[in-house]
PDB file of all heavy atoms in Angstrom:
ATOM      1  N   ALA Q 184     147.418  55.924 103.341  1.00 68.00           N
ATOM      2  CA  ALA Q 184     146.954  55.676 101.974  1.00 68.00           C
ATOM      3  C   ALA Q 184     146.333  54.286 101.863  1.00 68.00           C
ATOM      4  O   ALA Q 184     145.297  54.104 101.222  1.00 68.00           O
ATOM      5  CB  ALA Q 184     148.111  55.816 100.994  1.00 68.00           C
ATOM      6  N   ALA Q 185     146.964  53.307 102.493  1.00 65.00           N
ATOM      7  CA  ALA Q 185     146.436  51.941 102.457  1.00 65.00           C
ATOM      8  C   ALA Q 185     145.101  51.839 103.170  1.00 65.00           C
ATOM      9  O   ALA Q 185     144.165  51.186 102.689  1.00 65.00           O
ATOM     10  CB  ALA Q 185     147.440  50.983 103.087  1.00 65.00           C
ATOM     11  N   VAL Q 186     144.978  52.497 104.317  1.00 69.00           N
ATOM     12  CA  VAL Q 186     143.726  52.455 105.076  1.00 69.00           C
ATOM     13  C   VAL Q 186     142.600  53.129 104.292  1.00 69.00           C
ATOM     14  O   VAL Q 186     141.484  52.610 104.194  1.00 69.00           O
ATOM     15  CB  VAL Q 186     143.910  53.126 106.452  1.00 69.00           C
ATOM     16  CG1 VAL Q 186     142.565  53.256 107.176  1.00 69.00           C
ATOM     17  CG2 VAL Q 186     144.890  52.322 107.301  1.00 69.00           C
ATOM     18  N   LEU Q 187     142.892  54.281 103.704  1.00 70.00           N
ATOM     19  CA  LEU Q 187     141.878  54.995 102.933  1.00 70.00           C
ATOM     20  C   LEU Q 187     141.415  54.173 101.733  1.00 70.00           C
ATOM     21  O   LEU Q 187     140.210  54.047 101.473  1.00 70.00           O
ATOM     22  CB  LEU Q 187     142.440  56.340 102.475  1.00 70.00           C
ATOM     23  CG  LEU Q 187     141.490  57.250 101.676  1.00 70.00           C
ATOM     24  CD1 LEU Q 187     140.231  57.531 102.455  1.00 70.00           C
ATOM     25  CD2 LEU Q 187     142.202  58.547 101.310  1.00 70.00           C
ATOM     26  N   ALA Q 188     142.362  53.598 101.001  1.00 66.00           N
ATOM     27  CA  ALA Q 188     142.008  52.790  99.832  1.00 66.00           C
ATOM     28  C   ALA Q 188     141.166  51.580 100.230  1.00 66.00           C
ATOM     29  O   ALA Q 188     140.226  51.206  99.524  1.00 66.00           O
ATOM     30  CB  ALA Q 188     143.270  52.343  99.105  1.00 66.00           C
ATOM     31  N   SER Q 189     141.481  50.974 101.369  1.00 68.00           N
ATOM     32  CA  SER Q 189     140.724  49.797 101.808  1.00 68.00           C
ATOM     33  C   SER Q 189     139.290  50.166 102.168  1.00 68.00           C
ATOM     34  O   SER Q 189     138.355  49.397 101.931  1.00 68.00           O
ATOM     35  CB  SER Q 189     141.413  49.132 102.997  1.00 68.00           C
ATOM     36  OG  SER Q 189     141.301  49.920 104.168  1.00 68.00           O
ATOM     37  N   ARG Q 190     139.084  51.355 102.730  1.00 70.00           N
ATOM     38  CA  ARG Q 190     137.723  51.803 103.061  1.00 70.00           C
ATOM     39  C   ARG Q 190     136.916  52.076 101.789  1.00 70.00           C
ATOM     40  O   ARG Q 190     135.728  51.787 101.712  1.00 70.00           O
ATOM     41  CB  ARG Q 190     137.780  53.070 103.909  1.00 70.00           C
ATOM     42  CG  ARG Q 190     138.454  52.910 105.256  1.00 70.00           C
ATOM     43  CD  ARG Q 190     137.658  52.013 106.201  1.00 70.00           C
ATOM     44  NE  ARG Q 190     138.228  52.051 107.542  1.00 70.00           N
ATOM     45  CZ  ARG Q 190     139.169  51.225 107.976  1.00 70.00           C
ATOM     46  NH1 ARG Q 190     139.640  50.285 107.162  1.00 70.00           N
ATOM     47  NH2 ARG Q 190     139.615  51.321 109.203  1.00 70.00           N
ATOM     48  N   ILE Q 191     137.575  52.636 100.790  1.00 74.00           N
ATOM     49  CA  ILE Q 191     136.888  53.013  99.557  1.00 74.00           C
ATOM     50  C   ILE Q 191     136.432  51.788  98.771  1.00 74.00           C
ATOM     51  O   ILE Q 191     135.448  51.846  98.028  1.00 74.00           O
ATOM     52  CB  ILE Q 191     137.811  53.916  98.715  1.00 74.00           C
ATOM     53  CG1 ILE Q 191     137.943  55.278  99.403  1.00 74.00           C
ATOM     54  CG2 ILE Q 191     137.297  54.085  97.294  1.00 74.00           C
ATOM     55  CD1 ILE Q 191     138.983  56.169  98.807  1.00 74.00           C
ATOM     56  N   LYS Q 192     137.107  50.656  98.951  1.00 71.00           N
ATOM     57  CA  LYS Q 192     136.724  49.436  98.232  1.00 71.00           C
ATOM     58  C   LYS Q 192     135.280  49.030  98.514  1.00 71.00           C
ATOM     59  O   LYS Q 192     134.667  48.329  97.718  1.00 71.00           O
ATOM     60  CB  LYS Q 192     137.671  48.294  98.592  1.00 71.00           C
ATOM     61  CG  LYS Q 192     139.053  48.415  97.974  1.00 71.00           C
ATOM     62  CD  LYS Q 192     139.941  47.243  98.371  1.00 71.00           C
ATOM     63  CE  LYS Q 192     141.329  47.379  97.753  1.00 71.00           C
ATOM     64  NZ  LYS Q 192     142.237  46.265  98.160  1.00 71.00           N
ATOM     65  N   GLY Q 193     134.740  49.463  99.635  1.00 75.00           N
ATOM     66  CA  GLY Q 193     133.366  49.102  99.983  1.00 75.00           C
ATOM     67  C   GLY Q 193     132.310  49.919  99.271  1.00 75.00           C
ATOM     68  O   GLY Q 193     131.115  49.666  99.431  1.00 75.00           O
ATOM     69  N   PHE Q 194     132.718  50.900  98.461  1.00 78.00           N
ATOM     70  CA  PHE Q 194     131.764  51.776  97.782  1.00 78.00           C
ATOM     71  C   PHE Q 194     131.793  51.554  96.272  1.00 78.00           C
ATOM     72  O   PHE Q 194     132.865  51.419  95.688  1.00 78.00           O
ATOM     73  CB  PHE Q 194     132.094  53.247  98.077  1.00 78.00           C
ATOM     74  CG  PHE Q 194     131.922  53.640  99.516  1.00 78.00           C
ATOM     75  CD1 PHE Q 194     132.971  53.509 100.410  1.00 78.00           C
ATOM     76  CD2 PHE Q 194     130.708  54.124  99.975  1.00 78.00           C
ATOM     77  CE1 PHE Q 194     132.817  53.866 101.739  1.00 78.00           C
ATOM     78  CE2 PHE Q 194     130.547  54.483 101.301  1.00 78.00           C
ATOM     79  CZ  PHE Q 194     131.600  54.348 102.183  1.00 78.00           C
ATOM     80  N   ALA Q 195     130.612  51.531  95.670  1.00 81.00           N
ATOM     81  CA  ALA Q 195     130.526  51.430  94.207  1.00 81.00           C
ATOM     82  C   ALA Q 195     130.555  52.836  93.637  1.00 81.00           C
ATOM     83  O   ALA Q 195     129.536  53.397  93.232  1.00 81.00           O
ATOM     84  CB  ALA Q 195     129.246  50.698  93.808  1.00 81.00           C
ATOM     85  N   ALA Q 196     131.742  53.416  93.620  1.00 81.00           N
ATOM     86  CA  ALA Q 196     131.872  54.797  93.160  1.00 81.00           C
ATOM     87  C   ALA Q 196     133.295  55.027  92.670  1.00 81.00           C
ATOM     88  O   ALA Q 196     134.222  54.311  93.043  1.00 81.00           O
ATOM     89  CB  ALA Q 196     131.553  55.770  94.293  1.00 81.00           C
ATOM     90  N   THR Q 197     133.446  56.026  91.833  1.00 80.00           N
ATOM     91  CA  THR Q 197     134.765  56.503  91.454  1.00 80.00           C
ATOM     92  C   THR Q 197     135.146  57.597  92.439  1.00 80.00           C
ATOM     93  O   THR Q 197     134.397  58.562  92.609  1.00 80.00           O
ATOM     94  CB  THR Q 197     134.756  57.081  90.022  1.00 80.00           C
ATOM     95  OG1 THR Q 197     134.403  56.039  89.115  1.00 80.00           O
ATOM     96  CG2 THR Q 197     136.124  57.641  89.658  1.00 80.00           C
ATOM     97  N   VAL Q 198     136.274  57.434  93.103  1.00 81.00           N
ATOM     98  CA  VAL Q 198     136.704  58.395  94.116  1.00 81.00           C
ATOM     99  C   VAL Q 198     138.044  58.984  93.697  1.00 81.00           C
ATOM    100  O   VAL Q 198     139.002  58.248  93.445  1.00 81.00           O
ATOM    101  CB  VAL Q 198     136.826  57.734  95.503  1.00 81.00           C
ATOM    102  CG1 VAL Q 198     137.192  58.782  96.552  1.00 81.00           C
ATOM    103  CG2 VAL Q 198     135.530  57.043  95.881  1.00 81.00           C
TER     104      VAL Q 198
END
Side-chain angles (χ1 to χ4, degrees):
V186 172
L187 182 57
S189 71
R190 297 293 189 270
I191 290 171
K192 287 180 180 178
F194 294 89
T197 298
V198 183

